[in-house]
């Protein structure tokens, strides 16, 4: 059934959304943040950048159990597991994890690109066997698309990655299905639009809302710092156009990435924005501003499952637009400490009605 999307600007019912890029962490942090996602989203692609990383099928299976155990009683949520690609990853293990349905994707972190990426890939040649096997079995590769060369300006690292790593890889292995994660540039959007097949991109909530001024103008604001770092306004506008276009190659991956405040608010703060709790309200605001509320469902609930070859969710959620803005707590208290929630710098009128 096509979801019944009713919008009189005060009420919007959509198929239940999924998040195609999410960091849940582990232990007390996991227990503190998981329900911020599970309340609104049916499924999420779970990033494997724990310490130590989630490399093998066995690791993923154990992590999945910990996630399910951390859910409040009665909550239905399906973690879609990924495997962290290392230069020692075994093609057989990856294929077995895919065959069993446990792992939905493999994640490529160029070593040193972002949080907990030290165990990532330095030399793509070393993982060719794994990538070839994935291309054969149709298993997607989720890519953190930034080069790590310190000589390359941080604002150019995505564009340079596309030219020097991604495009050559796609030419060499055209059957490999790739998701460019958290695209932040016009270059990324254009590259995805130009691909005939086997390429899609996730877009975060925060990159649709902030540009680099949010981080740097009028003082350093660490809660807007994430990787890939937000770019110029022209790039934000390109991302918004892609998100609201209805083009099935673009879908939501929040990249909600909680870090406790002391690790953000310090001389060398961690990268990551925690958006899980207000993601849907922020997105409804953005789509309303763009006159595209009728395309929100494609972005959050339909395009992602279609790319991953999974059914869209049958359940629905309802968003309401209230005159009085919804008040979100500024911080989520977790067993590890407080985590500041993304502040979109506008009042959020849309809220998910609790079932
Ligand atoms: C992520 C994290 O904290 O794990 N940080 C971020 O800024 N997005 C890692 C990542 O996805 O790059
Ligand atoms: Zn991420």
């Amino acid at each position: 059934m096509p979801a019944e999307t009713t919008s009189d600007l005060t009420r919007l019912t959509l198929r239940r959304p999924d998040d195609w890029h999410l960091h849940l962490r582990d232990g007390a942090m996991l227990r503190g943040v998981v329900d911020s996602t599970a309340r609104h989203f049916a499924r999420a692609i779970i990033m494997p950048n724990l310490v130590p990383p989630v490399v093998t099928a066995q690791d993923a299976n154990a992590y999945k159990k910990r996630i399910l155990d951390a859910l409040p009683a009665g909550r239905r949520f399906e973690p879609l597991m990924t495997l962290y690609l290392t230069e020692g990853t075994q093609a057989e293990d990856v294929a077995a994890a895919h065959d069993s349905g446990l792992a939905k994707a493999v994640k490529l972190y160029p070593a040193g690109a972002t949080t907990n990426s030290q165990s990532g890939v330095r030399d793509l040649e070393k993982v060719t066997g794994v990538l070839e096997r994935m291309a054969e079995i149709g298993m997607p590769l989720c890519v953190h698309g930034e080069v790590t060369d310190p000589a390359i300006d941080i604002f150019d690292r995505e564009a340079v990655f596309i030219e020097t790593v991604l495009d050559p890889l796609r030419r060499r292995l055209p059957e490999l299905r790739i998701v460019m994660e958290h695209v932040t540039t016009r270059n990324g959007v254009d590259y995805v639009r130009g691909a005939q097949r086997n390429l899609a991109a996730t877009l975060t909530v925060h990159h649709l809302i902030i540009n680099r001024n949010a981080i740097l103008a009028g003082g350093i604001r660490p809660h807007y710092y994430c990787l890939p770092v937000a770019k110029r306004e022209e790039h934000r506008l390109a991302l918004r156009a892609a998100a609201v276009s209805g083009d099935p190659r673009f879908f939501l991956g929040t990249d909600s990435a909680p870090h406790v405040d002391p690790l953000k608010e310090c001389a060398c703060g961690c990268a990551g924005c925690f958006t899980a709790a207000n993601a849907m309200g922020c997105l409804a605001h953005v789509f309303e501003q763009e006159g595209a509320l009728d395309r929100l469902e494609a972005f959050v609930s339909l395009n992602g499952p279609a790319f991953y070859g999974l059914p869209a969710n049958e359940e629905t959620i309802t968003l309401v637009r209230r005159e009085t803005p919804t008040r979100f707590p500024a911080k989520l208290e977790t067993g590890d400490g407080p985590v500041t929630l993304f502040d979109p710098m506008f009042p959020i009128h849309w809220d998910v009605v609790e079932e």
Side-chain angles (χ1 to χ4, degrees):
M1 58 155 205
E4 205 160 304
T5 307
T6 47
S7 166
D8 55 5
L9 288 191
T10 60
R11 211 174 170 82
L12 187 62
T13 297
L14 314 168
R15 282 191 193 242
R16 201 167 185 82
D18 303 302
D19 183 348
W20 299 93
H21 181 130
L22 176 67
H23 299 270
L24 284 178
R25 316 302 190 200
D26 213 342
M29 178 65 94
L30 164 64
R31 289 191 291 278
V33 301
V34 67
D35 204 42
S36 297
T37 292
R39 278 169 63 195
H40 300 160
F41 295 88
R43 301 169 289 195
I45 282 275
I46 308 299
M47 287 297 122
N49 62 333
L50 305 182
V51 186
V54 179
V55 175
T56 64
Q58 202 184 353
D59 298 338
N61 200 31
Y63 186 32
K64 182 174 182 176
K65 286 208 173 74
R66 297 199 296 280
I67 295 169
L68 293 174
D69 285 348
L71 288 168
R75 181 72 78 203
R76 288 231 304 264
F77 174 72
E78 189 185 357
L80 306 173
M81 306 311 290
T82 60
L83 304 179
Y84 187 118
L85 185 59
T86 69
E87 292 180 359
T89 293
Q90 300 292 314
E92 280 312 308
D93 185 58
V94 168
H98 182 249
D99 281 353
S100 72
L102 170 67
K104 296 291 184 268
V106 169
K107 175 77 189 218
L108 166 64
Y109 291 103
T114 188
T115 312
N116 302 337
S117 60
Q118 313 82 290
S119 315
V121 176
R122 282 184 173 73
D123 178 3
L124 263 186
E125 289 299 319
K126 301 226 169 84
V127 294
T128 304
V130 177
L131 299 181
E132 284 172 352
R133 188 68 180 271
M134 289 169 62
E136 272 165 40
I137 62 178
M139 186 179 196
L141 179 72
C142 295
V143 174
H144 184 109
E146 289 190 288
V147 290
T148 54
D149 180 349
I152 308 290
D153 189 282
I154 190 161
F155 292 100
D156 298 332
R157 287 181 186 187
E158 182 171 296
V160 173
F161 183 89
I162 293 167
E163 277 169 36
T164 63
V165 182
L166 184 59
D167 193 57
L169 174 63
R170 289 189 56 247
R171 284 172 196 277
R172 200 164 140 198
L173 270 179
E175 295 307 318
L176 182 62
R177 299 168 57 67
I178 296 180
V179 185
M180 278 182 74
E181 302 282 70
H182 41 52
V183 161
T184 60
T185 57
R186 176 182 296 282
N187 315 57
V189 166
D190 288 348
Y191 187 70
V192 172
R193 284 217 177 99
Q196 298 301 315
R197 61 202 192 96
N198 291 341
L199 185 64
T202 56
L203 295 161
T204 77
V205 174
H206 48 286
H207 289 109
L208 300 178
I209 294 172
I210 60 162
N211 63 30
R212 63 196 200 175
N213 286 355
I215 314 164
L216 296 169
I220 288 191
R221 293 190 172 74
H223 294 293
Y224 295 118
Y225 171 62
C226 67
L227 288 171
V229 70
K231 310 292 192 299
R232 285 177 182 276
E233 178 65 359
E234 61 161 302
H235 296 291
R236 185 185 75 98
L237 296 177
L239 303 178
R240 277 171 84 109
V244 305
S245 66
D247 184 328
R249 292 170 293 188
F250 297 102
F251 42 87
L252 174 67
T254 65
D255 194 16
S256 179
H259 294 275
V260 291
D261 285 351
L263 294 179
K264 294 282 296 173
E265 300 166 2
C266 56
C268 184
C270 293
C273 298
F274 174 64
T275 55
N278 60 14
M280 286 308 301
C282 289
L283 285 173
H285 180 104
V286 167
F287 276 67
E288 181 179 42
Q289 275 187 328
E290 299 288 335
L293 277 174
D294 58 331
R295 274 165 267 157
L296 180 59
E297 185 181 51
F299 183 65
V300 300
S301 315
L302 302 178
N303 297 349
F307 185 86
Y308 276 91
L310 295 169
N313 298 307
E314 291 295 333
E315 289 172 19
T316 58
I317 60 163
T318 296
L319 289 144
V320 291
R321 189 188 202 289
R322 297 200 185 88
E323 278 308 307
T324 319
T326 311
R327 291 247 277 275
F328 290 93
K331 292 175 197 295
L332 182 75
E333 294 299 334
T334 75
D336 278 352
V339 176
T340 292
L341 179 63
F342 175 70
D343 173 2
M345 296 176 280
F346 52 69
I348 303 174
H349 289 268
W350 288 94
D351 195 14
V352 178
V353 189
E354 290 294 325
E355 268 107 311

